[in-house]
């Protein structure tokens, strides 16, 4: 096994991702302060929201297929539950840290409040390279994680979902482990499950679908026709891949896409329907050929002269170093936290609009909410109903944020934060401090 394929991170005490120039927690706290100042929010509430309610840290010994045992670290950060059970994804990545989970859990609190879902925010994960594990090893690791978190999660307590490096199968193992330990089948403990055990139609495409809907609305707002709009998408997985395909269906020209191995560019437009998503066939992006297709790096893609740039891969890709080189007219954040606060300040100064992650990719958790409703009511919805309700929720929230942006003359991020934060703060002030 080559060293970059090792499942155990080289430095498991590392404080942050090597792609990061600031931790997700630091970015999230700065964004909170900015919006709190705009709202003139009670400092006592802000102080509470700067910290997660709980962070579970667990040790996960796993027997490898060769009989040896490796020990991994797992986290579940539960930020705030004033509006309902904690909700958010679980990621498997060598870059998972406690600080990252805390920052991402804060974003989930705002995302759920922005969409007016009856959930709070959580995020967790395991510091592991999932590509270096066999399916059996992944199953043992996941079941052990579910066992360690059994008292922290539950359909009315904390509901995990897929995120980077996890998928419907991961959720199925968690649901099974939780259900077996509790002695009853409990589909509502996780969302993003396979449909046959209570998953929702449309859940896996939902984050990409919401990115496409918000891109369409933002282009309309800036008087740019969607038909023929030139769009570059970084990341070709569940978010970027589905967003690219839908925008292509709606008439946009997808001029560049990328996966972890590199990017491709075709100024005449890529037929994204013909390029398998990264999860379906890893390597298909860079293997794609065509007479006007050229190869680029992931960094080059970010600097293409396009109408819309959609960073939909990982966090902290737009930084102080490349923010001035970005030539797009509009950025729509598909990934969670792709823009550092320094880059965000540069974009604000340049007047380059950035539609924030908590709005653009909120389709994932919104359909998770639909899935949870189906689970606790023991009913299933059609794909048409899911997509229709998602469309209504996304457009409604877009309009709500648009009003705030117009009224306060603030960035899209601050506008979205103002809507979310005022709901969370109001709930805190009604419920008060206990005991
Ligand atoms: N991981 C997704 C996100 O970051 C979805 C979370 C969920 O559905 O709970 O929004």
């Amino acid at each position: 096994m080559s060293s970059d394929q090792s499942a155990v991170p080289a430095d498991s005490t590392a404080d942050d991702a090597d792609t990061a120039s600031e931790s997700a927690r630091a970015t999230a706290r700065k964004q909170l302060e900015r919006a709190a100042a705009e709202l003139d929010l009670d400092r006592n509430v802000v102080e509470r929201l700067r910290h997660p309610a709980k962070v579970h840290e667990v040790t996960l010994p796993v027997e490898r297929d060769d009989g040896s045992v490796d020990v991994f670290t797992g986290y579940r950060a539960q930020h705030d539950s004033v509006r309902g059970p904690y909700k958010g994804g679980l990621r498997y990545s060598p870059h998972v840290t406690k600080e990252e989970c805390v920052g991402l859990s804060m974003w989930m609190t705002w995302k759920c409040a922005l969409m007016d879902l009856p959930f709070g925010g959580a995020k967790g994960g395991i510091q592991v390279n999932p590509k270096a594990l066999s399916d059996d090893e992944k199953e043992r690791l996941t079941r052990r994680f579910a066992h360690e978190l059994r008292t922290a999660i539950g359909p009315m307590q904390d509901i995990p979902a897929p995120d980077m490096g996890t998928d419907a199968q991961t959720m199925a193992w968690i649901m099974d482990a939780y259900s077996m330990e509790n002695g009853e089948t409990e589909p509502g403990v996780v969302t993003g499950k396979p449909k046959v055990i209570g998953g929702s139609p449309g859940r896996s495409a939902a984050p990409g679908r919401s990115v496409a809907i918000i891109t369409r609305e933002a282009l309309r707002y800036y008087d740019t026709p969607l038909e023929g709009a030139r769009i570059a998408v970084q990341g070709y997985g569940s978010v970027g891949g589905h967003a690219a395909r839908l925008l292509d269906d709606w008439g946009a020209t997808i001029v560049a896409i990328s996966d972890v191995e590199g990017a491709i560019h075709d100024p005449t437009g890529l037929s994204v329907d013909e390029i398998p998503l990264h999860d379906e066939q890893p390597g298909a992006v860079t293997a794609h050929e065509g007479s006007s297709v050229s190869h680029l790096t992931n960094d080059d893609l970010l600097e293409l002269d396009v109408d819309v740039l959609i960073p939909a891969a990982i966090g902290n890709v737009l930084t102080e170093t490349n923010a001035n080189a970005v030539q797009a007219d509009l950025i729509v954040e598909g990934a969670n936290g792709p823009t550092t606060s320094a880059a965000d300040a540069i974009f604000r100064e340049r007047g380059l609009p950035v539609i924030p992650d908590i709005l653009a990719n909120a389709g994932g958790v919104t359909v998770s909410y639909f899935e949870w409703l189906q689970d606790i009511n023991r009913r299933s919805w059609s794909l048409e109903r899911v997509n229709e309700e998602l469309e209504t929720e996304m457009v409604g929230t877009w309009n709500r944020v648009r009003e705030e942006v117009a009224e306060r003359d603030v960035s899209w991020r601050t506008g979205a934060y103002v809507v979310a934060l005022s709901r969370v703060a109001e709930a805190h002030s009604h419920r008060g401090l206990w005991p």
Side-chain angles (χ1 to χ4, degrees), residues 26-47:
T27 312
R29 282 186 169 168
K30 285 182 199 159
Q31 293 165 346
L32 167 64
E33 291 293 349
R34 221 187 144 70
E38 178 63 37
L39 276 171
D40 203 11
L41 219 62
D42 181 351
R43 272 317 298 176
N44 294 327
V45 172
V46 180
E47 199 46 43

Side-chain angles (χ1 to χ4, degrees), residues 76 86-91 104 107-108 111-112 119-120 122-123 159-164 166 191-192 203 207 239 334-336 357 361-369:
R76 183 69 175 171
Y86 299 107
K87 184 84 191 82
L90 286 178
R91 54 174 59 177
L104 289 159
W107 287 327
M108 286 310 302
K111 200 184 291 189
C112 293
F119 291 139
K123 189 75 106 193
I159 307 133
D163 199 89
M164 277 164 61
T166 57
T191 56
R203 172 60 184 84
V239 188
N336 288 315
D357 45 9
N361 72 26
V365 73
T366 302
V367 176
S368 277
Y369 169 57

Side-chain angles (χ1 to χ4, degrees), residues 188-254:
V189 65
V190 286
T191 56
K193 301 173 292 295
K195 196 169 169 310
V196 70
I197 51 168
S200 178
R203 172 60 184 84
S204 61
R209 177 168 284 269
S210 70
V211 168
I213 294 170
I214 294 298
T215 303
R216 183 194 69 205
E217 295 302 311
L219 283 171
R220 184 179 302 156
Y221 177 87
Y222 287 108
D223 288 328
T224 307
L226 178 59
E227 184 75 39
R230 292 160 309 130
I231 301 182
V233 185
Q234 184 185 57
Y236 201 60
S238 76
V239 188
H242 288 115
R245 285 184 176 174
L246 212 51
L247 287 163
D248 178 58
D249 277 355
W250 293 345
T253 306
I254 308 299

Side-chain angles (χ1 to χ4, degrees), residues 255-336:
V255 295
I257 57 171
S258 72
D259 69 6
V260 62
E261 285 161 42
I264 53 172
H265 179 217
D266 184 344
T268 67
L270 293 156
S271 315
V272 281
D273 269 339
E274 288 162 20
I275 308 174
L277 300 188
H278 183 72
D279 308 336
E280 295 161 356
Q281 194 183 312
V285 170
T286 43
H288 183 74
E289 290 183 355
S291 56
S292 42
V293 172
S294 58
H295 287 256
L296 310 170
T297 65
N298 257 291
D299 288 344
D300 296 335
L301 177 145
L302 299 171
E303 299 177 13
L304 287 172
D305 184 6
V306 288
D307 296 305
V308 190
L309 170 65
I310 303 181
I314 53 171
N316 282 1
V317 293
L318 297 170
T319 66
E320 206 166 8
T321 317
N322 61 5
N324 276 309
V326 170
Q327 295 185 67
D329 295 325
L330 170 69
I331 298 171
V332 179
E333 294 183 333
N336 288 315

